[in-house]
Amino acid sequence: MEERTETDVLVVGAGPIGMTAAALLADYGLNVVLAEKEATTSDSPRAISVTDETLRVMAEIGVLDKLVPEMLMDTGARYFGRRGQLMAEVRPGRPRLGQPGKSQFDQPVMESLLLDAVRRRPGIDLRFESEVLSLTDHGSSVEALILRGGAVQRVRSKWVLACDGGRSPIRTRLGIALEGSTQAQQWIVVDIANSQVQTEKFAEFHCNGTRPVVQVPGAKGRRRYEFMLLPGERAEEVTTPEFIAGLVAPYESVEPENIRRAAVYVAHQRIAAEYRRGRVILAGDAAHLMPPFAGQALNAGVRDAANLAWKIAAQVNGAPEALLDTYAAERRPHTADMVRLSHLIGQVVMATNPLAAAARDKLLAASSLVPPLNRWITQMRFLKQPHYTSGCLVPPSRDTSKPAAELVGRALTQPSVRTDDGAESGLDAVLGLGWSRLRFLGADRIEVAPAGADYAHRRTMHVMDTEGAFREVPPGTGLLVRPDRYVAAVFEAGGEAAVLAELAALVPELGRVGSTAAPNL
């Protein structure tokens, strides 16, 4: 007999983005089927850089404590010119979200921890060796035929989230085009274990003009090397242990058993023309592909998952489908920025034309003479953080103070806070699940309350911002914070009801209570 399942969401692909999305969806109370074609998660070290926002999500899922010991935290990068001279040393500025702006991790370790997190959640039905054969969108639900163990299973879900990678079969079946281009230059990527190189918290970009090289350190002796593939070289030749040993020789010796991965890749800079078709939504590499030079691909996918999970949960519980349209409106512009940035950094690193390489070296050297430009480069300010200007938010009024207005559409800063009973934590731990309202009381005091009927059981708390992160925000100002920790609105005294009413058009739960203030318990 054919097996039939009904669920809230079918997530296709149990990579880091699919598992992150599944865990978040389950935490919002939804039932999830997570289908993966392979027999288990990948043991290939692909992505290696994470941002503070990704680590914030990992903390929310409950895997950060075990991930941190396997990471090299708070890293930067050094760029060397064609003569080997240091051109620039860059690293993110002061941490704003409670974690370092950039760190190095090991993807197999992350996937193993996410897999444990998925298995701990009873709302997730995890199915390995399960290939999605077809999807039929019925308007209010989607029916999937899944091949598993030689038998066809039928899964009906309210939504399908395709996290099935850059070659996404689901995107292809839907006929959604990828807009952009493919980089002609190929690279050899080598991951090794037991590296003999002394670990420093800097990736190295050797822009030598002949065969550019990238080195990225990791924790516990892990290290990545990337080498430009030269004309006439073939993938099957350059990935042999002997050839790899020769490439790595200027930096260290490597034995065949310590080569974890050797592959040739082509960098793409492409974005799906549509992020959603009916009740099927694309996320991660299924929605966008970018060169690796800015280390943003996995991070963009985690942002996708965090942006989507609460919106899908809200729609399943009665919000209009228009809320799901804000996903592309918010995420696509920033992803396009990251694709362009990744391509630009690649052009800087890959320059082999002598005139272009010389001009690049002179420009970077001259940047030290212009302090604003130097800070823009050395503090990695070119790595723009998401700033939503449309979507599920209320633009600030002209009368709003600049420090408060600048918070809207951005990820909420996460300082350390202390409760009245002396307990200290990051602000996220106080916010909890769902929508929140923050009111700044002055003298670094913040009132934190639930916003919306679905989480009205949470108690109002008062905390001390021990870092003074919001000190410039005028007392009496309030914020509405979304479940993904982005600020949806700012309001002054007496203005809360108006912004709640405006947001309630997309999130009805915000309109089901008169005031978000709750009694202290």
Side-chain angles (χ1 to χ4, degrees):
M1 179 180 291
E2 183 180 73
E3 182 179 337
R4 295 173 179 264
T5 304
E6 291 198 8
T7 190
D8 293 317
V9 185
L10 168 63
V11 177
V12 183
I17 309 309
M19 288 191 288
T20 295
L24 292 172
L25 288 163
D27 288 346
Y28 291 127
L30 299 190
N31 292 315
V32 180
V33 171
L34 176 56
E36 167 58 50
K37 181 179 178 181
E38 302 301 327
T40 187
T41 56
S42 173
D43 62 355
S44 182
R46 295 174 182 171
I48 53 174
S49 294
V50 287
T51 65
D52 47 0
E53 196 166 355
T54 291
L55 295 182
R56 187 180 209 173
V57 175
M58 294 301 111
E60 182 178 351
I61 293 172
V63 303
L64 185 61
D65 287 348
K66 291 185 178 179
L67 184 61
V68 166
E70 299 288 338
M71 295 175 58
L72 192 63
M73 304 289 286
D74 194 15
T75 58
R78 290 173 176 149
Y79 291 83
F80 297 89
R82 57 198 178 100
R83 296 190 307 275
Q85 78 278 16
L86 178 64
M87 298 188 295
E89 181 175 292
V90 307
R91 67 187 315 152
R94 181 175 176 268
R96 193 177 69 83
L97 304 184
Q99 301 295 338
K102 177 176 176 286
S103 300
Q104 310 308 140
F105 80 110
D106 189 61
Q107 184 167 329
V109 171
M110 176 184 280
E111 291 201 25
S112 175
L113 294 173
L114 285 171
L115 180 59
D116 290 343
V118 164
R119 286 176 166 156
R120 287 196 303 269
R121 286 162 166 81
I124 301 176
D125 177 0
L126 175 61
R127 303 183 184 185
F128 283 115
E129 298 181 288
S130 298
E131 180 181 2
V132 176
L133 302 177
S134 67
L135 295 174
T136 303
D137 193 331
H138 295 289
S140 60
S141 65
V142 182
E143 188 170 72
L145 295 183
I146 299 177
L147 180 63
R148 186 186 192 196
V152 174
Q153 301 174 341
R154 195 177 298 268
V155 175
R156 183 179 290 269
S157 61
K158 297 179 178 69
W159 292 95
V160 172
L161 183 53
C163 305
D164 53 343
R167 297 179 181 178
S168 175
I170 290 178
R171 185 191 64 230
T172 301
R173 289 194 196 105
L174 292 174
I176 297 177
L178 281 175
E179 300 174 343
S181 62
T182 296
Q183 190 172 283
Q185 183 60 58
Q186 295 178 298
W187 283 72
I188 309 162
V189 58
V190 180
D191 287 283
I192 68 170
N194 302 314
S195 173
Q196 303 164 22
V197 178
Q198 182 177 352
T199 299
E200 291 190 75
K201 291 188 174 185
F202 289 92
E204 295 183 359
F205 291 79
H206 296 273
C207 314
N208 53 42
T210 53
R211 190 199 287 273
V213 181
V214 181
Q215 282 194 61
V216 185
K220 299 185 176 180
R222 307 181 188 107
R223 182 167 291 266
R224 170 167 292 179
Y225 290 92
E226 297 177 4
F227 305 88
M228 180 184 282
L229 186 73
L230 300 181
E233 294 179 337
R234 297 187 302 169
E236 59 269 25
E237 296 172 348
V238 301
T239 52
T240 63
E242 295 77 18
F243 197 94
I244 294 301
L247 289 174
V248 176
Y251 309 98
E252 62 177 304
S253 61
V254 58
E255 299 299 325
E257 60 269 21
N258 286 327
I259 299 175
R260 302 177 67 199
R261 180 176 75 132
V264 171
Y265 70 83
V266 179
H268 301 276
Q269 40 267 343
R270 297 180 181 272
I271 303 179
E274 303 169 63
Y275 274 25
R276 174 189 165 206
R277 176 77 62 81
R279 286 189 166 257
V280 181
I281 306 173
L282 308 180
D285 286 355
H288 41 74
L289 298 166
M290 63 187 74
F293 303 106
Q296 289 297 300
L298 176 134
N299 297 291
V302 171
R303 288 188 178 110
D304 292 346
N307 186 288
L308 268 172
W310 72 269
K311 294 177 180 178
I312 293 175
Q315 197 287 321
V316 169
N317 288 304
E321 287 191 28
L323 178 61
L324 273 300
D325 293 333
T326 67
Y327 164 55
E330 293 175 351
R331 288 293 308 126
R332 202 172 189 278
H334 182 259
T335 299
D337 286 343
M338 293 300 97
V339 169
R340 286 190 290 268
L341 175 65
S342 299
H343 178 65
L344 176 61
I345 295 176
Q347 295 301 106
V348 170
V349 173
M350 295 188 302
T352 54
N353 179 285
L355 293 177
R360 173 205 61 206
D361 290 6
K362 289 180 180 178
L363 178 63
L364 284 173
S367 70
S368 62
L369 303 176
V370 185
L373 177 60
N374 183 253
R375 289 192 294 272
W376 185 78
I377 294 173
T378 59
Q379 296 179 18
M380 296 180 72
R381 295 183 183 180
F382 52 81
L383 197 61
K384 294 196 302 182
Q385 300 305 306
H387 180 203
Y388 305 151
T389 56
S390 64
C392 187
L393 54 84
V394 178
S397 70
R398 293 180 180 179
D399 298 331
T400 303
S401 70
K402 184 178 179 182
E406 289 181 344
L407 297 174
V408 178
R410 302 181 191 274
L412 179 70
T413 299
Q414 184 185 196
S416 294
V417 297
R418 184 172 59 249
T419 62
D420 288 340
D421 61 6
E424 295 193 12
S425 69
L427 179 57
D428 286 1
V430 179
L431 297 181
L433 280 176
W435 286 78
S436 296
R437 186 262 289 152
L438 274 62
R439 192 185 301 276
F440 300 104
L441 306 176
D444 296 328
R445 296 277 295 170
I446 306 172
E447 182 182 79
V448 181
D454 291 354
Y455 293 92
H457 60 278
R458 285 172 22 207
R459 66 191 181 103
T460 297
M461 299 181 66
H462 292 87
V463 298
M464 174 69 71
D465 171 6
T466 61
E467 299 176 16
F470 300 102
R471 195 163 290 164
E472 295 183 5
V473 179
T477 302
L479 302 179
L480 287 177
V481 182
R482 306 183 336 182
D484 61 356
R485 312 303 192 210
Y486 275 74
V487 178
V490 59
F491 58 88
E492 308 298 333
E496 182 177 0
V499 295
L500 281 171
E502 188 167 344
L503 287 167
L506 289 175
V507 188
E509 70 157 295
L510 296 177
R512 293 201 292 268
V513 289
S515 170
T516 58
N520 287 301
L521 300 176

